[in-house]
Amino acid sequence: MSLVNVCVIDQIAVLEINSPPVNALSAALRQDMIDAFSQVQSDEQIKAIALHCLGSTFICGADIREFDGEPIAPHLPQVIHLIEQSKTPVIALLHGHVLGGGLEVAAACHYRLALENTNIGLPEVGLGVVPGAGGCQRMMRLAGVENAVKLATSGRPVKVTHPDYSGVCDALFAPSDDLFENGLSWINSQLEKQALTPKTTGLNSVDEVPVDWASLKKTVARAAKSNPVPGQLLEQLANEYQLPTLEAEQNTRELFLELRQSVVAKALRHAFFVEKKMQAGRSKNAFRIEQTAVIGAGTMGSAIALCLADAGFEVVLLEQSQEALDRGMGRIKDEYAKSLAKGRINQQQHDARIALISASCDYQSLAQTDLVIEAAFESLEVKQSIFSKLDEVCKAGAILATNTSYLDIDVIAQSTTRPESVLGLHFFSPANIMKLLEIVKADKTSDEALEQMQQLAKKLRKQAVTVGVCFGFAANRIYTRYGREVQQMLLEGAGIEQIDTAMREFGMAMGPLSVQDLSGIDIGHNARSQYPQPEYDKGYFKVSAALVEAGRLGRKTGSGFYNYSAQQPTIDQQVVDIIANLSKELNIESKLFDAQTIQQRAILAMICEAVKVIDEGIVSEKDAIDLIWLHGYGFPRAKGGPMFLAQQWGVEQLQAQMSELRDSQGEKIWPPLDLAKYLA
Ligand code: 3HC
């Protein structure tokens, strides 16, 4: 059966694409489009061709699943040229998402009509490729060079109503209008006026408007982070934007074909599909969470309340004292005021979201709540006492979640008579920004409660991973192992700045030691102190412990790994001496490090702990690890995640490197692992 239905209404041929879920341009669809266009273009009775898509969206781009293999004919440029060169005018009816190859198809049509809430974009750079079928060139002619360059190098879609892109569409309809009916009557009215021609805007030369390439270059470099592709695309467009469309299109296509097989493109595709896979899963039960509550109005609690209100939930924010509540509500209002000032929300959204949050010091106000998230002080006694109060006041079926980072949720659940309703919801700081959410399944948590939280995560626009109980769960446990390796390298002679720079160059959002200074060295130290220290591990956060003892807790005390009295953080001889003395005491030999060794050791430590976490069943699959690192700790997306990297490096190389580290640090730190089982 063809993916393109053809029907003729009066003198208009309607080509209706039906390739769910997102009408991606698979080889089969490309072929069916060619067949359908060829069929109607030769019919002299037909005065116009309308291209319309069934489902929730127009064509959302090339079929990314094809990118792992060789390009399959017919190729997209063939479809596009057939449309552009049609003697019968072609009109695209746009709704939903018009992305990548979808926008390339739309731009080759002679007219575009859209619902006002349609998104248009060239997101290819986010997949490590560039628009491969003339999208940049045609958008330059429809929206101006600079706007087209911004669209393609940022990868970020815009609404079709964006003033910079007003030249793209010939008519817009209200979102509630019937696109098909309105589109056909627009075409009919133009036919009556004999105003429809096959105008190939896409082949005109570009407007002679000056372009500020230098400032575009700066913006692209800042936004692209570790992804080299936006910079490559910008360079090509800057050099070639005045070439005739077809010549420039061919050159960009060559770059597309070259990049398609690059490791960066593979890593970015991996990240895309991991996100989709981890979000997938049909819900068996209807979502039943309406009223929510957060206990604790500190930084984390307030940010969780923001998250819930952003998604439209009513929230009761509960604290022990009015002063603490006022501080929390103040934080929330400040945050919303900032969003309003930056134009992220409008006044109406601002007021509506604040109105959703109410403050209380009385546990009785939680009686009708469907979900309580506890974000109080990180102490087992405090949490046990809160959960036993919740058990008394909350209605049957309410889900009781803790935001603990390290504590044993099985023990917390025992302070209630309903352990099946107790679980962990581990947000990452700042909770209203970081995408990762660990849903922690305790021993007795019911499947229904977990499933409700997976649905909640989607509503909060979080990337959720379900994990089991252990110290630090999956994310912090692996992060701790990374931090431990960094401390060991400090003791072996790697410099503080050298480590931070190496990891930033690798692509991490921040260096690990700057992160510790920012979050407070005492936070992790206090959490670790509640558990027995691994005596066999010479390097286990000894430097952090010594800094805490010296009162250097990080930025908040003006000094930690760095000093913060000057404008830029500086290295303090006191810290250098602390590290040198510890190395001597522990009998650790000093050696020279380079950036690559630091990066490799840090990633190997992540991989080592990740494999243990998978082996113990704390997470169900290796892709969960990549999702955790991409969305919880700013791992460079263009590198795919630690497990993607592990696969690139290969079992043999990993075994050799880990065995060397095992020889120097011992089997307990670098245990022999069955890497092949997880990386095959
Ligand atoms: N190719 C193949 N599958 C795709 C796809 C694509 N381009 N886009 C989405 N899908 C799949 C998803 O994997 C998912 O599959 P699943 O149900 O098996 O998990 C399904 O379609 C639905 O996708 P979402 O869950 O993401 O649906 P949403 O409604 O939330 O979002 C979307 C829709 C905004 C279109 C989003 O899927 C998206 O951003 N897709 C990628 C768009 C893109 O990057 N296009 C450019 C491709 S490159 C290109 O066009 C090159 C050209 O220049 C030659």
Side-chain angles (χ1 to χ4, degrees), residues 21-22 24 60-65 67 76 97 99-101 104 123-124 127 130-133 256 272-273 276:
V22 289
C60 78
D63 189 332
I64 308 167
R65 290 166 306 179
F67 285 8
L76 188 55
H97 306 281
L99 302 177
E104 296 180 305
E124 284 87 342
L127 291 165
V130 297
F256 162 78
F272 176 84
F273 282 118
K276 298 294 156 206

Side-chain angles (χ1 to χ4, degrees), residues 527-550:
R528 287 186 297 271
S529 307
Q530 297 187 31
Y531 294 84
Q533 303 297 295
E535 302 224 330
Y536 55 83
D537 188 350
K538 282 187 188 178
Y540 192 75
F541 293 95
K542 296 257 174 11
V543 181
S544 286
L547 293 186
V548 171
E549 204 175 308

Side-chain angles (χ1 to χ4, degrees), residues 131-339:
C136 299
Q137 289 72 31
R138 289 186 182 78
M139 284 304 286
M140 280 180 185
R141 283 140 179 98
L142 290 171
V145 176
E146 196 152 331
N147 292 328
V149 170
K150 280 185 191 158
L151 199 69
T153 54
S154 73
R156 268 198 314 276
V158 294
K159 282 267 174 288
V160 79
T161 45
H162 191 298
D164 289 348
Y165 299 88
S166 59
V168 175
C169 286
D170 298 275
L172 295 177
F173 308 119
S176 55
D177 283 348
D178 185 318
L179 174 65
F180 186 67
E181 292 295 324
N182 280 276
L184 283 201
S185 60
W186 185 91
I187 298 171
N188 273 319
S189 73
Q190 298 299 311
L191 283 175
E192 274 168 31
K193 288 189 255 170
Q194 299 198 323
L196 278 191
T197 54
K199 58 174 178 102
T200 48
T201 322
L203 295 179
N204 297 345
S205 52
V206 291
D207 291 343
E208 289 284 333
V209 178
V211 180
D212 187 354
W213 292 105
S215 113
L216 281 172
K217 203 167 174 182
K218 275 193 208 140
T219 314
V220 167
R222 216 178 18 248
K225 296 187 182 142
S226 58
N227 182 356
V229 178
Q232 278 172 275
L233 176 60
L234 181 71
E235 199 180 318
Q236 189 174 64
L237 296 178
N239 290 336
E240 301 193 348
Y241 74 105
Q242 282 170 322
L243 288 182
T245 309
L246 296 182
E247 193 180 338
E249 174 188 326
Q250 181 55 30
N251 294 346
T252 320
R253 176 150 189 94
E254 273 161 27
L255 183 58
F256 162 78
L257 291 172
E258 182 191 318
L259 290 173
R260 210 169 161 268
Q261 295 312 319
S262 67
V263 177
V264 167
K266 284 183 184 155
L268 290 167
R269 282 204 291 280
H270 167 76
F272 176 84
F273 282 118
V274 164
E275 287 165 359
K276 298 294 156 206
K277 183 165 101 182
M278 303 303 287
Q279 273 177 347
R282 298 261 168 271
S283 322
K284 282 189 238 115
N285 301 295
F287 186 60
R288 59 179 175 84
I289 310 294
E290 284 173 15
Q291 299 203 14
T292 67
V294 176
I295 298 185
T299 315
M300 188 49 111
S302 324
I304 296 174
L306 275 166
C307 266
L308 292 163
D310 284 349
F313 291 99
E314 281 180 34
V315 194
V316 177
L317 186 63
L318 189 127
E319 255 296 353
Q320 283 174 313
S321 71
Q322 192 58 46
E323 296 77 56
L325 263 185
D326 292 344
R327 275 197 303 275
M329 287 305 287
R331 228 175 259 131
I332 288 170
K333 286 180 182 159
D334 285 351
E335 208 47 54
Y336 276 133
K338 265 194 248 160
S339 298

